[in-house]
Amino acid sequence: SQELEQSPQSLIVQEGKNLTINCTSSKTLYGLYWYKQKYGEGLIFLMMLQKGGEEKSHEKITAKLDEKKQQSSLHITASQPSHAGIYLCGAARATGNQFYFGTGTSLTVIP
Amino acid sequence: ETGVTQTPRHLVMGMTNKKSLKCEQHLGHNAMYWYKQSAKKPLELMFVYNFKEQTENNSVPSRFSPECPNSSHLFLHLHTLQPEDSALYLCASSQNSGGLRDTQYFGPGTRLTVL
């Protein structure tokens, strides 16, 4: 099983709709990163959450961290075609240099 | 140039070839990383370098040989690869390695195809 599971695996929404992507960890989360990847390209850093209950926003994207549930959610309000891509969550372990990425969520926004 | 750059962007090689991937970061960071992204698999961390020293080798086969001559440059030397090594290879850098507060910044990747 993966350390970080994302759901859904893929999402197709109409432009203007809201959507939520979840990232669940099998281990205790001490912090979580969200990245966006255009198909076949590098990752773009979106935001990082460190504390339980923390919520951050960047333009129309909001992310929350629930440490008790070992889960983070990414919410996009009024989606646009520019939001299309693969969203990846990532987290580091408390010790060592291991960094894990989630399985990814592919988002398609239909104009 | 700004950020993290990678060359080449695309590479096709035979199993007997030797090639190298190059990564350069212009962010003044001290740590650099190689990741492998295969289809339908999560990104896999391959190597971590901090201040030019390798601090992590994630059980990567010896046909992949990293080199970090300084904090700004990272190479991945490839030889006798297998078709299953075909993937997107991503380089990243961060201020320091490890830790939960070090955001990693990624390059655009090199799409490698092994015939």
Side-chain angles (χ1 to χ4, degrees):
Chain A
S1 64
Q2 304 296 339
E3 295 235 1
L4 293 172
E5 292 279 353
Q6 288 185 236
S7 62
Q9 286 188 345
S10 64
L11 200 51
I12 301 174
V13 300
Q14 201 75 39
E15 183 177 358
K17 295 293 185 184
N18 302 335
L19 63 104
T20 299
I21 299 168
N22 293 306
C23 174
T24 304
S25 175
S26 60
K27 299 186 188 299
T28 305
L29 283 177
Y30 294 95
L32 189 120
Y33 294 79
W34 281 101
Y35 286 88
K36 178 185 175 186
Q37 184 180 28
K38 289 284 190 183
Y39 296 101
E41 296 185 10
L43 279 64
I44 300 167
F45 170 69
L46 294 176
M47 57 192 86
M48 187 260 284
L49 305 166
Q50 276 184 269
K51 301 175 184 176
E54 186 173 14
E55 180 176 321
K56 286 188 177 178
S57 293
H58 173 70
E59 297 178 346
K60 293 185 178 179
I61 302 175
T62 301
K64 297 180 185 179
L65 179 62
D66 185 332
E67 271 186 339
K68 288 184 180 178
K69 291 184 180 178
Q70 297 182 177
Q71 186 177 70
S72 177
S73 60
L74 185 86
H75 184 77
I76 298 178
T77 304
S79 58
Q80 300 170 355
S82 60
H83 288 127
I86 301 171
Y87 288 82
L88 294 154
C89 62
R93 284 190 176 168
T95 57
N97 286 336
Q98 284 299 323
F99 194 90
Y100 297 94
F101 278 95
T103 46
T105 296
S106 175
L107 172 64
T108 302
V109 180
I110 301 172
Chain B
E1 294 215 55
T2 58
V4 182
T5 58
Q6 288 185 245
T7 55
R9 292 295 309 276
H10 300 273
L11 179 62
V12 179
M13 59 187 288
M15 290 191 286
T16 58
N17 291 159
K18 288 185 180 181
K19 297 285 184 184
S20 295
L21 308 185
K22 179 183 175 182
C23 175
E24 184 173 359
Q25 59 95 0
H26 310 268
L27 301 168
H29 289 166
N30 299 311
M32 297 187 78
Y33 310 76
W34 279 117
Y35 284 88
K36 176 184 178 183
Q37 187 176 36
S38 305
K40 299 185 180 180
K41 290 177 70 176
L43 268 162
E44 300 170 69
L45 179 64
M46 299 174 72
F47 300 104
V48 179
Y49 276 83
N50 197 25
F51 290 96
K52 302 187 299 179
E53 298 297 320
Q54 187 180 118
T55 57
E56 195 72 27
N57 176 337
N58 214 12
S59 303
V60 181
S62 59
R63 58 186 184 269
F64 294 91
S65 175
E67 179 190 359
C68 189
N70 54 61
S71 294
S72 300
H73 294 86
L74 185 65
F75 295 89
L76 188 62
H77 303 300
L78 317 170
H79 62 97
T80 59
L81 294 191
Q82 304 298 312
E84 59 263 30
D85 295 323
S86 299
L88 182 68
Y89 288 86
L90 291 161
C91 172
S93 71
S94 69
Q95 188 60 50
N96 294 294
S97 78
L100 307 168
R101 294 184 174 85
D102 283 351
T103 300
Q104 294 176 51
Y105 294 88
F106 284 79
T110 295
R111 171 68 64 187
L112 174 66
T113 302
V114 182
L115 302 176

